[in-house]
Amino acid sequence: MIIHVFNSQQELNQAGAGIITALIQTKPDAVLGLATGGTPVGIYEELVKNYNAARVSFRHAKSFNLDEYVGLPDGHSESYRTYMNHHLFDHVDIQMEETHVPNGNADDVDEECEEYDAMMADAGQVDLQILGIGHNGHIGFNEPGRELTAGTHRVELKAETREANARYFPSIDEVPTHAITMGIASIMKAKQIILIVRGADKAEIVERALFGPITTDCPASLLQAHPNLVVLLDNEAGSGLIEQ
Ligand code: PGA
């Protein structure tokens, strides 16, 4: 595991975008695992800048997103497909048909999950997976519990996850109760994982995830077993580590 702690959001964003840019420069047909939420927004902004400066082209790249809410109407402002189009896909030259976000409106969600895993298997190994972390240690929407699931699956969101995401919705009642998420094995299969965390409110979970026991009660702790994990933290999220 390599941990970088940055003094500014800009340095963190440039470092994250730099890793993705360097990968695509050396492997134009890279398979990217992408994340949503507040954490990666600045990294996508930097990636768009790199694209506009002709430092990177996504023309041959493919992407698979970690997760999607179940039941939001197509085009809903808070769906993760809308987020990805808005923050990245609409601004770069990736082929839209090579971008994949689980379909949270599928008639048969289980079938959608199986198809998503099959598409990922066809695309080959994810070269680089971007991850954030929830306050409860979730990665994607793999919530803490007695067991974790290997492949893409439907999940019931924990109350704390719905509360954390309520900031994007008019009220908590409108936050979906379920989501589709890649499973832990899908995430751990990636060649490289970039875990990005910002803010003092995540300092404790960062410490637990990276240095606490490996346990399903903190899904992110499994990342300790990944052979190529790079952690990008702002100094607030990294404050617990610096004090050690
Ligand atoms: P956030 O979410 O980036 O909005 O903090 C991270 C997560 O829940 O995985």
Side-chain angles (χ1 to χ4, degrees):
M1 171 189 340
I2 298 173
I3 303 178
H4 298 284
V5 182
F6 297 91
N7 284 320
S8 76
Q9 300 300 329
Q10 194 191 7
E11 286 172 281
L12 191 163
N13 292 338
Q14 287 174 345
I19 294 170
I20 301 168
T21 299
L23 168 68
I24 300 176
Q25 285 168 344
T26 52
K27 188 176 183 200
D29 62 348
V31 181
L32 303 174
L34 298 177
T36 52
T39 304
V41 169
I43 288 177
Y44 296 145
E45 271 171 24
E46 289 298 325
L47 269 183
V48 172
K49 283 188 205 165
N50 287 351
Y51 168 73
N52 286 331
R55 282 194 283 269
V56 65
S57 165
F58 296 82
R59 178 174 297 275
H60 301 293
K62 287 189 171 69
S63 71
F64 288 88
N65 263 79
L66 281 168
D67 44 24
E68 178 61 285
Y69 290 118
V70 167
L72 290 184
D74 272 351
H76 189 283
S77 60
E78 297 311 326
S79 83
Y80 289 163
R81 163 52 77 178
T82 301
Y83 170 114
M84 287 310 304
N85 290 354
H86 175 71
H87 288 291
L88 185 65
F89 300 152
D90 284 345
H91 309 291
V92 298
D93 61 347
I94 196 162
Q95 309 293 302
M96 224 21 128
E97 62 276 17
E98 298 294 359
T99 69
H100 303 89
V101 181
N103 177 8
N105 282 311
D107 290 337
D108 184 334
V109 169
D110 291 339
E111 194 177 88
E112 167 67 16
C113 294
E114 274 174 38
E115 279 173 16
Y116 203 70
D117 283 342
M119 281 191 295
M120 287 187 72
D122 278 354
Q125 207 176 355
V126 169
D127 290 289
L128 187 157
Q129 176 68 56
I130 302 287
L131 280 186
I133 185 173
H135 294 97
N136 64 6
H138 73 203
I139 47 178
F141 277 132
N142 292 278
E143 300 280 30
R146 294 185 55 180
E147 337 185 297
L148 294 169
T149 304
T152 303
H153 60 287
R154 181 178 196 264
V155 66
E156 181 172 3
L157 300 177
K158 294 269 188 198
E160 61 262 28
T161 298
R162 294 184 66 232
E163 277 158 27
N165 291 0
R167 66 194 195 274
Y168 298 116
F169 290 83
S171 79
I172 190 156
D173 297 336
E174 291 178 53
V175 183
T177 54
H178 291 78
I180 295 175
T181 183
M182 277 187 202
I184 286 291
S186 322
I187 293 171
M188 292 292 283
K189 268 191 262 180
K191 286 186 201 163
Q192 183 174 44
I193 295 180
I194 313 286
L195 174 67
I196 303 159
V197 198
R198 310 175 197 261
D201 54 317
K202 299 261 179 91
E204 195 185 323
I205 194 64
V206 164
E207 198 183 330
R208 253 180 79 201
L210 301 182
F211 296 104
I214 297 180
T215 163
T216 59
D217 287 333
C218 178
S221 65
L222 273 79
L223 298 174
Q224 292 178 38
H226 194 278
N228 191 350
L229 173 67
V230 177
V231 185
L232 307 182
L233 306 174
D234 68 9
N235 48 20
E236 291 188 343
S239 57
L241 312 184
I242 293 162
E243 280 160 18
Q244 279 185 357

